[in-house]
Protein backbone atom coordinates (compact mmCIF):
# COMPACT_ATOMS: atom_id res chain seq x y z
CA UNK A 1 0.00 0.00 0.00
CA UNK A 2 1.26 3.49 -0.82
CA UNK A 3 1.26 5.79 2.22
CA UNK A 4 1.72 9.52 2.63
CA UNK A 5 5.41 10.46 2.59
CA UNK A 6 7.04 10.60 6.07
CA UNK A 7 6.42 13.95 7.72
CA UNK A 8 3.40 14.81 5.53
CA UNK A 9 -0.21 14.53 6.65
CA UNK A 10 -3.66 14.34 5.15
CA UNK A 11 -6.14 16.84 6.52
CA UNK A 12 -9.33 14.77 6.49
CA UNK A 13 -12.85 16.22 6.12
CA UNK A 14 -13.51 16.04 9.88
CA UNK A 15 -10.58 18.36 10.57
CA UNK A 16 -11.32 20.90 7.84
CA UNK A 17 -13.77 23.01 9.93
CA UNK A 18 -10.98 23.69 12.49
CA UNK A 19 -8.59 24.75 9.73
CA UNK A 20 -11.22 26.99 8.16
CA UNK A 21 -12.07 28.52 11.55
CA UNK A 22 -8.38 29.28 12.16
CA UNK A 23 -8.03 30.81 8.67
CA UNK A 24 -11.15 32.92 9.14
CA UNK A 25 -9.68 34.44 12.34
CA UNK A 26 -6.31 35.00 10.66
CA UNK A 27 -7.98 36.77 7.75
CA UNK A 28 -10.20 38.82 10.02
CA UNK A 29 -7.32 40.07 12.22
CA UNK A 30 -4.98 40.84 9.30
CA UNK A 31 -7.76 42.66 7.46
CA UNK A 32 -8.49 44.87 10.49
CA UNK A 33 -4.83 45.94 10.50
CA UNK A 34 -5.18 46.58 6.72
CA UNK A 35 -2.81 43.84 5.52
CA UNK A 36 -3.46 42.58 1.95
CA UNK A 37 -3.10 38.95 0.92
CA UNK A 38 -0.26 37.87 -1.37
CA UNK A 39 0.18 34.42 -2.98
CA UNK A 40 3.56 33.38 -4.34
CA UNK A 41 4.61 30.10 -6.02
CA UNK A 42 5.30 27.01 -3.94
CA UNK A 43 8.73 26.60 -5.56
CA UNK A 44 11.37 29.16 -6.37
CA UNK A 45 14.93 29.27 -7.73
CA UNK A 46 17.18 27.66 -5.11
CA UNK A 47 19.48 30.69 -4.98
CA UNK A 48 16.65 32.85 -3.58
CA UNK A 49 16.59 30.86 -0.33
CA UNK A 50 20.37 30.34 -0.19
CA UNK A 51 20.89 34.11 -0.40
CA UNK A 52 17.82 35.14 1.57
CA UNK A 53 17.84 32.75 4.53
CA UNK A 54 21.63 32.23 4.65
CA UNK A 55 23.87 29.37 3.42
CA UNK A 56 24.95 28.43 6.96
CA UNK A 57 21.46 28.10 8.44
CA UNK A 58 20.01 24.66 9.20
CA UNK A 59 17.18 25.34 6.76
CA UNK A 60 19.46 25.96 3.77
CA UNK A 61 22.29 23.57 4.63
CA UNK A 62 20.20 20.56 5.71
CA UNK A 63 16.48 20.88 5.24
CA UNK A 64 15.54 22.11 1.79
CA UNK A 65 13.69 20.05 -0.79
CA UNK A 66 15.89 20.97 -3.72
CA UNK A 67 15.86 19.29 -7.11
CA UNK A 68 17.06 19.81 -10.64
CA UNK A 69 14.04 20.11 -12.92
CA UNK A 70 13.84 18.79 -16.49
CA UNK A 71 15.37 21.99 -17.84
CA UNK A 72 18.43 21.53 -15.63
CA UNK A 73 17.50 24.38 -13.25
CA UNK A 74 17.85 24.02 -9.49
CA UNK A 75 14.54 24.74 -7.78
CA UNK A 76 13.43 24.41 -4.14
CA UNK A 77 10.08 23.91 -2.44
CA UNK A 78 9.66 27.01 -0.27
CA UNK A 79 10.78 26.39 3.35
CA UNK A 80 9.26 29.75 4.38
CA UNK A 81 7.57 32.73 2.76
CA UNK A 82 9.65 35.82 3.58
CA UNK A 83 12.19 35.29 0.79
CA UNK A 84 9.43 34.68 -1.80
CA UNK A 85 7.42 37.71 -0.67
CA UNK A 86 10.51 39.92 -0.88
CA UNK A 87 11.31 38.50 -4.34
CA UNK A 88 7.77 39.35 -5.52
CA UNK A 89 8.00 42.81 -3.90
CA UNK A 90 11.18 43.57 -5.87
CA UNK A 91 10.04 41.91 -9.12
CA UNK A 92 6.75 43.86 -9.26
CA UNK A 93 8.22 47.12 -7.88
CA UNK A 94 5.53 47.18 -5.22
CA UNK A 95 7.38 50.07 -3.53
CA UNK A 96 6.59 52.27 -6.56
CA UNK A 97 2.85 51.80 -5.97
CA UNK A 98 2.90 52.31 -2.22
CA UNK A 99 5.51 53.50 0.27
CA UNK A 100 4.55 50.90 2.82
CA UNK A 101 3.32 47.45 1.73
CA UNK A 102 1.55 45.45 4.43
CA UNK A 103 1.13 41.87 3.19
CA UNK A 104 -0.14 38.58 4.60
CA UNK A 105 -0.17 34.97 3.43
CA UNK A 106 -1.09 31.42 4.35
CA UNK A 107 -0.02 28.14 2.76
CA UNK A 108 2.16 25.02 2.83
CA UNK A 109 5.93 25.14 3.47
CA UNK A 110 8.47 22.31 3.17
CA UNK A 111 11.47 21.41 5.33
CA UNK A 112 13.13 18.01 5.56
CA UNK A 113 13.39 17.99 9.36
CA UNK A 114 13.19 14.95 11.62
CA UNK A 115 9.43 14.52 12.08
CA UNK A 116 7.99 14.56 15.61
CA UNK A 117 4.91 15.93 17.34
CA UNK A 118 4.42 19.47 16.00
CA UNK A 119 7.19 19.12 13.42
CA UNK A 120 6.40 18.09 9.86
CA UNK A 121 8.05 18.09 6.46
CA UNK A 122 5.04 19.70 4.83
CA UNK A 123 3.49 22.14 7.28
CA UNK A 124 1.37 25.25 7.00
CA UNK A 125 2.17 28.80 7.99
CA UNK A 126 0.29 32.03 8.01
CA UNK A 127 2.23 35.22 8.38
CA UNK A 128 2.66 38.87 7.56
CA UNK A 129 5.39 41.11 6.19
CA UNK A 130 5.48 44.93 6.27
CA UNK A 131 7.94 46.37 3.76
CA UNK A 132 8.98 50.02 3.62
CA UNK A 133 9.24 51.38 7.17
CA UNK A 134 11.67 51.12 10.07
CA UNK A 135 9.03 52.24 12.59
CA UNK A 136 9.20 50.10 15.78
CA UNK A 137 5.40 50.36 15.91
CA UNK A 138 5.38 47.82 13.08
CA UNK A 139 7.65 45.43 15.01
CA UNK A 140 5.15 45.64 17.86
CA UNK A 141 2.25 45.30 15.41
CA UNK A 142 3.49 41.84 14.34
CA UNK A 143 3.44 40.71 17.96
CA UNK A 144 0.07 42.34 18.65
CA UNK A 145 -1.51 40.67 15.59
CA UNK A 146 -0.21 37.20 16.45
CA UNK A 147 -1.21 37.62 20.09
CA UNK A 148 -4.71 38.76 19.06
CA UNK A 149 -5.11 35.75 16.75
CA UNK A 150 -4.10 33.36 19.56
CA UNK A 151 -6.43 35.16 21.94
CA UNK A 152 -9.37 34.86 19.60
CA UNK A 153 -8.68 31.13 19.35
CA UNK A 154 -9.01 31.01 23.13
CA UNK A 155 -5.35 30.06 23.75
CA UNK A 156 -4.07 30.84 27.23
CA UNK A 157 -0.77 29.21 28.02
CA UNK A 158 1.44 31.64 26.04
CA UNK A 159 4.78 33.36 26.57
CA UNK A 160 5.92 36.19 24.29
CA UNK A 161 9.72 36.33 24.06
CA UNK A 162 11.46 39.27 22.47
CA UNK A 163 15.05 40.25 21.84
CA UNK A 164 17.05 42.70 19.77
CA UNK A 165 19.90 41.69 17.47
CA UNK A 166 20.71 45.33 16.74
CA UNK A 167 22.43 46.50 13.58
CA UNK A 168 25.19 44.45 11.88
CA UNK A 169 28.02 46.73 13.09
CA UNK A 170 27.27 46.26 16.79
CA UNK A 171 26.61 42.58 16.16
CA UNK A 172 30.00 42.11 14.48
CA UNK A 173 31.72 43.77 17.47
CA UNK A 174 29.80 41.52 19.81
CA UNK A 175 30.65 38.41 17.81
CA UNK A 176 34.35 39.17 18.34
CA UNK A 177 33.80 39.35 22.10
CA UNK A 178 31.73 36.15 22.02
CA UNK A 179 34.43 34.38 20.04
CA UNK A 180 36.99 35.34 22.69
CA UNK A 181 34.71 33.96 25.37
CA UNK A 182 33.90 30.66 23.59
CA UNK A 183 37.36 29.85 22.22
CA UNK A 184 38.87 28.51 25.48
CA UNK A 185 35.83 26.19 25.84
CA UNK A 186 35.86 25.03 22.23
CA UNK A 187 36.98 21.43 22.81
CA UNK A 188 34.27 20.94 25.44
CA UNK A 189 31.44 21.96 23.09
CA UNK A 190 29.28 19.50 21.14
CA UNK A 191 30.31 18.86 17.54
CA UNK A 192 27.29 20.85 16.25
CA UNK A 193 28.24 23.86 18.37
CA UNK A 194 31.88 23.56 17.26
CA UNK A 195 30.65 23.86 13.69
CA UNK A 196 28.55 26.88 14.63
CA UNK A 197 31.63 28.53 16.16
CA UNK A 198 32.89 28.98 12.60
CA UNK A 199 29.63 29.43 10.69
CA UNK A 200 27.15 31.21 12.96
CA UNK A 201 28.54 31.61 16.46
CA UNK A 202 25.39 33.12 18.02
CA UNK A 203 23.39 29.98 17.24
CA UNK A 204 25.44 28.14 19.92
CA UNK A 205 22.92 29.74 22.31
CA UNK A 206 20.23 27.55 20.67
CA UNK A 207 22.04 24.29 21.51
CA UNK A 208 19.93 21.82 23.47
CA UNK A 209 23.06 20.07 24.88
CA UNK A 210 23.29 20.56 28.64
CA UNK A 211 27.04 21.08 28.62
CA UNK A 212 26.83 23.68 25.83
CA UNK A 213 24.12 25.47 27.77
CA UNK A 214 26.27 25.49 30.92
CA UNK A 215 29.15 27.05 29.01
CA UNK A 216 26.90 29.63 27.34
CA UNK A 217 25.18 30.57 30.60
CA UNK A 218 28.06 32.92 31.45
CA UNK A 219 28.66 34.20 27.92
CA UNK A 220 28.50 37.95 27.26
CA UNK A 221 25.13 39.01 25.81
CA UNK A 222 24.50 40.98 22.64
CA UNK A 223 22.11 43.31 24.45
CA UNK A 224 25.10 44.68 26.40
CA UNK A 225 26.84 45.61 23.14
CA UNK A 226 23.95 47.28 21.31
CA UNK A 227 24.39 50.77 19.92
CA UNK A 228 22.21 53.66 21.05
CA UNK A 229 19.88 53.60 18.03
CA UNK A 230 19.19 49.87 18.42
CA UNK A 231 18.50 50.30 22.13
CA UNK A 232 16.02 53.10 21.43
CA UNK A 233 14.30 51.04 18.75
CA UNK A 234 13.98 48.12 21.16
CA UNK A 235 12.73 50.41 23.93
CA UNK A 236 9.93 51.70 21.70
CA UNK A 237 8.87 48.15 20.79
CA UNK A 238 8.66 47.26 24.49
CA UNK A 239 6.74 50.41 25.37
CA UNK A 240 4.23 49.75 22.57
CA UNK A 241 3.68 46.19 23.78
CA UNK A 242 3.17 47.38 27.35
CA UNK A 243 0.66 50.04 26.36
CA UNK A 244 -1.25 47.47 24.30
CA UNK A 245 -1.39 44.97 27.17
CA UNK A 246 0.87 42.34 25.69
CA UNK A 247 2.82 40.58 28.45
CA UNK A 248 6.36 39.70 27.32
CA UNK A 249 9.75 38.50 28.48
CA UNK A 250 13.04 39.79 27.15
CA UNK A 251 15.02 36.69 26.18
CA UNK A 252 18.54 37.89 25.47
CA UNK A 253 19.45 34.49 24.00
CA UNK A 254 16.70 34.45 21.37
CA UNK A 255 18.74 34.25 18.15
CA UNK A 256 16.38 32.45 15.73
CA UNK A 257 17.49 30.18 12.94
CA UNK A 258 17.39 32.54 9.96
CA UNK A 259 20.21 34.93 9.04
CA UNK A 260 18.19 37.92 7.87
CA UNK A 261 17.25 39.52 11.19
CA UNK A 262 18.27 42.96 12.44
CA UNK A 263 16.83 44.70 15.55
CA UNK A 264 13.74 42.95 16.96
CA UNK A 265 13.27 39.19 17.02
CA UNK A 266 10.39 37.47 18.76
CA UNK A 267 8.69 34.14 19.37
CA UNK A 268 5.46 33.20 21.05
CA UNK A 269 5.71 29.81 22.74
CA UNK A 270 2.93 27.67 24.13
CA UNK A 271 3.15 25.59 27.29
CA UNK A 272 0.53 23.21 25.88
CA UNK A 273 2.32 21.44 23.03
CA UNK A 274 5.53 19.72 24.19
CA UNK A 275 9.01 20.37 22.90
CA UNK A 276 8.11 22.01 19.56
CA UNK A 277 6.56 24.90 21.41
CA UNK A 278 7.13 27.95 19.17
CA UNK A 279 3.73 28.83 17.73
CA UNK A 280 5.20 31.71 15.77
CA UNK A 281 8.38 33.65 15.24
CA UNK A 282 9.57 36.68 13.38
CA UNK A 283 11.44 39.92 13.46
CA UNK A 284 12.88 42.83 11.56
CA UNK A 285 15.05 42.34 8.46
CA UNK A 286 16.26 45.72 7.23
CA UNK A 287 18.95 44.32 4.90
CA UNK A 288 17.09 41.50 3.14
CA UNK A 289 15.50 43.47 0.28
CA UNK A 290 18.89 44.91 -0.71
CA UNK A 291 20.54 41.48 -0.28
CA UNK A 292 18.04 40.07 -2.80
CA UNK A 293 18.72 42.80 -5.37
CA UNK A 294 16.17 45.49 -4.45
CA UNK A 295 16.78 48.98 -3.17
CA UNK A 296 17.43 49.43 0.55
CA UNK A 297 14.03 48.82 2.17
CA UNK A 298 13.36 48.05 5.82
CA UNK A 299 11.05 45.13 6.57
CA UNK A 300 9.52 43.26 9.48
CA UNK A 301 7.32 40.17 9.70
CA UNK A 302 6.43 36.90 11.34
CA UNK A 303 5.10 33.45 10.51
CA UNK A 304 3.08 31.00 12.60
CA UNK A 305 2.79 27.21 12.34
CA UNK A 306 -0.83 26.20 11.87
CA UNK A 307 -0.42 22.52 12.89
CA UNK A 308 1.13 23.57 16.21
CA UNK A 309 -1.55 26.18 16.84
CA UNK A 310 -4.33 23.65 16.24
CA UNK A 311 -2.53 21.16 18.49
CA UNK A 312 -2.38 23.78 21.26
CA UNK A 313 -6.09 24.56 20.73
CA UNK A 314 -6.94 20.87 20.95
CA UNK A 315 -4.85 20.31 24.11
CA UNK A 316 -6.37 23.37 25.79
CA UNK A 317 -9.85 22.65 24.37
CA UNK A 318 -9.76 26.35 23.59
CA UNK A 319 -12.73 26.40 21.21
CA UNK A 320 -15.61 24.17 20.24
CA UNK A 321 -17.26 24.30 16.84
CA UNK A 322 -20.93 23.54 16.27
CA UNK A 323 -21.62 20.23 14.54
CA UNK A 324 -21.97 20.74 10.82
CA UNK A 325 -25.58 20.52 9.62
CA UNK A 326 -27.19 20.12 6.24
CA UNK A 327 -30.53 21.83 5.49
CA UNK A 328 -32.41 18.91 3.92
CA UNK A 329 -31.98 15.21 3.32
CA UNK A 330 -34.35 13.87 0.68
CA UNK A 331 -35.61 10.35 1.44
CA UNK A 332 -36.90 8.52 -1.63
CA UNK A 333 -39.53 6.04 -0.46
CA UNK A 334 -40.06 4.02 -3.60
CA UNK A 335 -38.34 3.07 -6.82
CA UNK A 336 -39.04 5.17 -9.89
CA UNK A 337 -39.00 8.51 -8.04
CA UNK A 338 -35.21 8.92 -7.97
CA UNK A 339 -35.27 11.34 -10.90
CA UNK A 340 -37.85 13.61 -9.21
CA UNK A 341 -35.90 13.46 -5.95
CA UNK A 342 -32.62 14.26 -7.68
CA UNK A 343 -34.08 17.22 -9.58
CA UNK A 344 -35.67 18.56 -6.41
CA UNK A 345 -32.24 18.34 -4.72
CA UNK A 346 -30.51 20.20 -7.55
CA UNK A 347 -33.24 22.90 -7.58
CA UNK A 348 -32.90 23.50 -3.83
CA UNK A 349 -29.10 23.53 -4.06
CA UNK A 350 -29.28 26.14 -6.81
CA UNK A 351 -31.45 28.24 -4.50
CA UNK A 352 -28.75 28.04 -1.83
CA UNK A 353 -29.68 25.15 0.48
CA UNK A 354 -27.31 22.37 1.53
CA UNK A 355 -29.03 19.22 0.32
CA UNK A 356 -28.17 15.55 0.04
CA UNK A 357 -29.98 12.34 -0.87
CA UNK A 358 -29.39 8.65 -1.35
CA UNK A 359 -27.24 7.42 -4.26
CA UNK A 360 -27.05 3.78 -3.17
CA UNK A 361 -30.68 2.58 -3.49
CA UNK A 362 -30.86 2.13 0.27
CA UNK A 363 -33.91 1.30 2.40
CA UNK A 364 -35.92 4.14 3.98
CA UNK A 365 -34.46 3.19 7.36
CA UNK A 366 -30.90 3.43 6.04
CA UNK A 367 -31.71 6.77 4.39
CA UNK A 368 -33.01 8.11 7.73
CA UNK A 369 -29.79 6.97 9.42
CA UNK A 370 -27.86 8.89 6.78
CA UNK A 371 -30.04 12.00 7.37
CA UNK A 372 -29.15 11.81 11.08
CA UNK A 373 -25.47 11.28 10.36
CA UNK A 374 -25.48 14.55 8.38
CA UNK A 375 -27.48 16.34 11.12
CA UNK A 376 -30.20 17.21 8.60
CA UNK A 377 -32.48 20.01 9.83
CA UNK A 378 -35.30 18.71 7.59
CA UNK A 379 -36.16 15.47 5.84
CA UNK A 380 -38.27 15.60 2.70
CA UNK A 381 -40.11 12.33 1.99
CA UNK A 382 -40.82 11.57 -1.64
CA UNK A 383 -43.16 8.61 -2.29
CA UNK A 384 -45.82 6.64 -0.52
CA UNK A 385 -49.50 7.36 -0.23
CA UNK A 386 -48.96 11.13 -0.07
CA UNK A 387 -47.07 11.15 -3.36
CA UNK A 388 -49.95 9.38 -5.08
CA UNK A 389 -52.08 12.37 -3.92
CA UNK A 390 -49.40 14.64 -5.48
CA UNK A 391 -48.07 15.56 -2.04
CA UNK A 392 -44.70 15.42 -0.37
CA UNK A 393 -43.99 15.51 3.38
CA UNK A 394 -41.48 17.80 5.06
CA UNK A 395 -40.35 16.76 8.54
CA UNK A 396 -38.66 19.21 10.90
CA UNK A 397 -36.06 17.02 12.63
CA UNK A 398 -35.75 19.33 15.65
CA UNK A 399 -39.39 19.06 16.81
CA UNK A 400 -40.59 16.18 14.57
CA UNK A 401 -43.38 18.37 13.14
CA UNK A 402 -44.56 17.23 9.71
CA UNK A 403 -46.17 19.30 7.02
CA UNK A 404 -47.65 18.23 3.65
CA UNK A 405 -47.04 20.26 0.50
CA UNK A 406 -48.22 19.92 -3.07
CA UNK A 407 -45.34 18.37 -5.00
CA UNK A 408 -45.53 21.26 -7.46
CA UNK A 409 -45.05 23.78 -4.67
CA UNK A 410 -41.27 23.53 -4.29
CA UNK A 411 -41.09 27.30 -3.71
CA UNK A 412 -43.28 27.03 -0.60
CA UNK A 413 -41.19 24.15 0.75
CA UNK A 414 -38.06 26.18 0.11
CA UNK A 415 -39.51 29.19 1.93
CA UNK A 416 -40.47 27.21 5.01
CA UNK A 417 -37.00 25.58 5.21
CA UNK A 418 -35.27 28.92 4.75
CA UNK A 419 -37.38 30.65 7.41
CA UNK A 420 -36.12 28.46 10.23
P1 LIG B 1 10.37 30.10 11.52
O1 LIG B 1 10.64 30.34 12.96
O2 LIG B 1 11.33 29.24 10.77
O3 LIG B 1 10.25 31.53 10.85
O4 LIG B 1 8.92 29.47 11.36
C1 LIG B 1 7.79 30.09 11.91
C2 LIG B 1 6.88 29.07 12.56
O5 LIG B 1 6.56 28.03 11.63
C3 LIG B 1 7.49 28.33 13.73
O6 LIG B 1 7.37 29.09 14.93
C4 LIG B 1 6.62 27.07 13.80
O7 LIG B 1 5.39 27.35 14.46
C5 LIG B 1 6.33 26.82 12.33
N1 LIG B 1 7.23 25.76 11.81
C6 LIG B 1 8.49 25.90 11.39
N2 LIG B 1 8.98 24.70 10.98
C7 LIG B 1 8.01 23.79 11.18
C8 LIG B 1 7.88 22.38 10.96
N3 LIG B 1 8.87 21.66 10.43
N4 LIG B 1 6.69 21.77 11.28
C9 LIG B 1 5.67 22.50 11.80
N5 LIG B 1 5.72 23.82 12.02
C10 LIG B 1 6.88 24.46 11.72
C11 LIG B 1 10.02 31.75 9.52
O8 LIG B 1 9.60 30.89 8.76
C12 LIG B 1 10.18 33.19 9.10
N6 LIG B 1 9.87 33.28 7.67
C13 LIG B 1 9.28 34.09 9.92
C14 LIG B 1 9.38 35.52 9.51
C15 LIG B 1 8.56 36.18 8.68
N7 LIG B 1 10.32 36.37 9.89
C16 LIG B 1 10.10 37.54 9.30
N8 LIG B 1 9.04 37.43 8.55
Amino acid sequence: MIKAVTGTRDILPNDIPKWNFLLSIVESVFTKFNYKEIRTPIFEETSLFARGIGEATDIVSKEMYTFIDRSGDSVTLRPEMTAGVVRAFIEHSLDKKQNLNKLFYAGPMFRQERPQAGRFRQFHQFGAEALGSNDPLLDAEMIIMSYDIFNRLGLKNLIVKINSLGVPESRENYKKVLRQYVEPHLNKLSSESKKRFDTNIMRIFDSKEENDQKIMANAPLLIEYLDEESLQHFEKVKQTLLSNKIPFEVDTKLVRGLDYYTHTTFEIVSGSVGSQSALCGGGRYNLLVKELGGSETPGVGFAAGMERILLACENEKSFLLDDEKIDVFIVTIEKGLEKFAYQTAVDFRRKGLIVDLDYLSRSVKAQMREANRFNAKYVLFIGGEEFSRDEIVLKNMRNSEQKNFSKKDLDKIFESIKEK
Side-chain angles (χ1 to χ4, degrees), residues 57-58 196 200-207 255-257:
T57 58
D58 284 354
R196 286 178 172 172
N200 199 348
I201 187 164
M202 286 166 60
R203 294 276 332 269
I204 300 180
F205 282 115
D206 285 349
S207 171
V255 176
R256 305 219 356 95

Side-chain angles (χ1 to χ4, degrees), residues 176-402:
K176 279 187 207 138
V177 179
L178 187 60
R179 205 158 268 133
Q180 277 168 9
Y181 170 82
V182 175
E183 201 149 21
H185 303 282
L186 203 55
N187 53 12
K188 285 178 256 147
L189 285 176
S190 65
S191 58
E192 187 62 33
S193 291
K194 266 189 206 137
K195 252 190 259 157
R196 286 178 172 172
F197 180 80
D198 295 317
T199 55
N200 199 348
I201 187 164
M202 286 166 60
R203 294 276 332 269
I204 300 180
F205 282 115
D206 285 349
S207 171
K208 302 265 187 290
E209 301 287 332
E210 203 179 319
N211 197 41
D212 292 358
Q213 286 179 354
K214 253 192 220 152
I215 293 170
M216 296 310 280
N218 299 318
L221 295 171
L222 173 56
I223 202 105
E224 296 154 5
Y225 291 83
L226 286 186
D227 56 294
E228 195 48 36
E229 184 218 320
S230 299
L231 281 172
Q232 274 178 19
H233 189 105
F234 194 40
E235 203 46 45
K236 192 154 179 210
V237 175
K238 290 191 279 184
Q239 286 309 323
T240 312
L241 293 178
L242 282 174
S243 52
N244 287 283
K245 302 186 183 64
I246 308 279
F248 64 85
E249 283 174 10
V250 174
D251 178 351
T252 46
K253 294 186 176 138
L254 184 68
V255 176
R256 305 219 356 95
L258 303 95
D259 276 357
Y260 46 59
Y261 293 113
T262 53
H263 290 294
T264 320
T265 54
F266 79 94
E267 274 182 12
I268 302 184
V269 299
S270 163
S272 309
V273 287
S275 69
Q276 297 305 308
S277 60
L279 298 191
C280 73
R284 181 161 279 286
Y285 48 86
N286 286 350
L287 305 174
L288 182 60
V289 180
K290 184 136 189 254
E291 176 64 36
L292 293 177
S295 55
E296 207 170 310
T297 309
V300 61
F302 81 98
M306 297 174 69
E307 284 81 0
R308 285 185 200 175
I309 293 170
L310 288 173
L311 185 63
C313 292
E314 203 168 300
N315 291 348
E316 287 187 31
K317 303 212 175 352
S318 72
F319 66 82
L320 196 69
L321 298 179
D322 289 342
D323 282 342
E324 292 204 310
K325 287 189 163 58
I326 66 168
D327 293 311
V328 194
F329 192 91
I330 297 181
V331 170
T332 314
I333 297 177
E334 63 205 63
K335 296 252 165 297
L337 299 179
E338 293 86 357
K339 195 171 159 213
F340 180 84
Y342 187 77
Q343 273 174 8
T344 307
V346 173
D347 279 352
F348 282 163
R349 288 161 175 164
R350 286 180 171 158
K351 283 173 184 285
L353 297 179
I354 307 172
V355 185
D356 214 345
L357 74 170
D358 178 52
Y359 295 90
L360 299 169
S361 307
R362 281 176 288 194
S363 67
V364 171
K365 207 164 145 197
Q367 292 183 61
M368 284 306 286
R369 265 203 305 272
E370 193 76 334
N372 285 325
R373 197 176 5 252
F374 290 134
N375 286 315
K377 295 181 205 160
Y378 287 89
V379 169
L380 190 65
F381 294 98
I382 291 183
E385 211 182 282
E386 285 86 358
F387 202 79
S388 58
R389 292 200 307 267
D390 279 350
E391 281 182 357
I392 43 190
V393 180
L394 181 69
K395 179 172 179 181
N396 182 331
M397 298 299 280
R398 192 163 41 84
N399 54 18
S400 296
E401 258 174 35
Q402 301 207 42

